[in-house]
Amino acid sequence: PVPFPAAQTAALAKTGLELNDTGAICLALDLCTAGRVLHDENIIHRDIKPKNVMLLDGRAVLIDFGYAQRAAAERGAGACVRGAQGELPYLLAEDVRSLRGCKEGDQYAMGKTIFETIFDSPAPQPPVDARRTQKARNYITAPAAQRLNDEFRQRLASPEAGVLARFDLSPPVAAVLLRVVRGLCAAVNPSSFRTAELTLVEAQRSL
């Protein structure tokens, strides 16, 4: 991967995060572990996105649990709660369509968050005034979410995915991170946070 210009990585460097293989694996692992801990307790976050990740002393921390809710324990891996919350670029169309928030939605949002933090810029947001207008017009719709889901998955499948990175990544580590993101964001049988976590732990051991 080709590194971003230094000016675009300066903010990350100031947090104490190492901008190399170790730092990238640690960041993704911290986030997947946070997701796994929540899902082990059947808690759905429903608002995972880059703005809800903070870096403290080089460690990634998931914040803002305002939409978080515990699902019924008996629902297991497909646990869901009522109400699709969050920002459109990080929502699954299936969740918007059925007005619910599910573990798979958290996994998709986390995969996209990891990708945007390590490899790419966050999803563009409309200006505040435009957002107010769009919200009034039911801005979050299943067709709009489906279009963004499809576009992002197409980008992940492209040979260009991961060409740019904010970290100085070796090809094997970049490949592992992309595999984790693709698994979390898969349209069919997405990876759980536990599976992603185990993959990242194995990669960490090999550094």
Side-chain angles (χ1 to χ4, degrees), residues 64-109:
D64 194 350
F65 291 81
Y67 292 141
Q69 192 172 339
R70 189 183 299 274
E74 63 269 16
R75 299 296 293 277
C80 301
V81 296
R82 290 184 179 180
Q85 303 289 350
E87 291 189 15
L88 180 65
Y90 304 96
L91 291 175
L92 273 180
E94 294 88 341
D95 287 355
V96 177
R97 197 172 289 117
S98 58
L99 298 177
R100 63 183 184 175
C102 300
K103 288 185 175 182
E104 292 82 1
D106 276 0
Q107 290 154 202
Y108 174 84

Side-chain angles (χ1 to χ4, degrees), residues 120-177:
D120 200 2
S121 299
Q125 294 293 304
V128 173
D129 289 343
R131 243 182 290 173
R132 289 197 190 104
T133 301
Q134 288 168 324
K135 187 174 182 180
R137 296 176 181 172
N138 196 22
Y139 172 56
I140 296 179
T141 65
Q146 188 67 63
R147 176 178 56 80
L148 292 176
N149 293 170
D150 292 344
E151 288 175 358
F152 182 60
R153 287 171 176 144
Q154 286 171 7
R155 288 175 62 202
L156 284 180
S158 166
E160 300 300 313
V163 168
L164 287 175
R166 291 184 172 81
F167 294 70
D168 183 14
L169 299 179
S170 65
V173 167
V176 167
L177 290 165

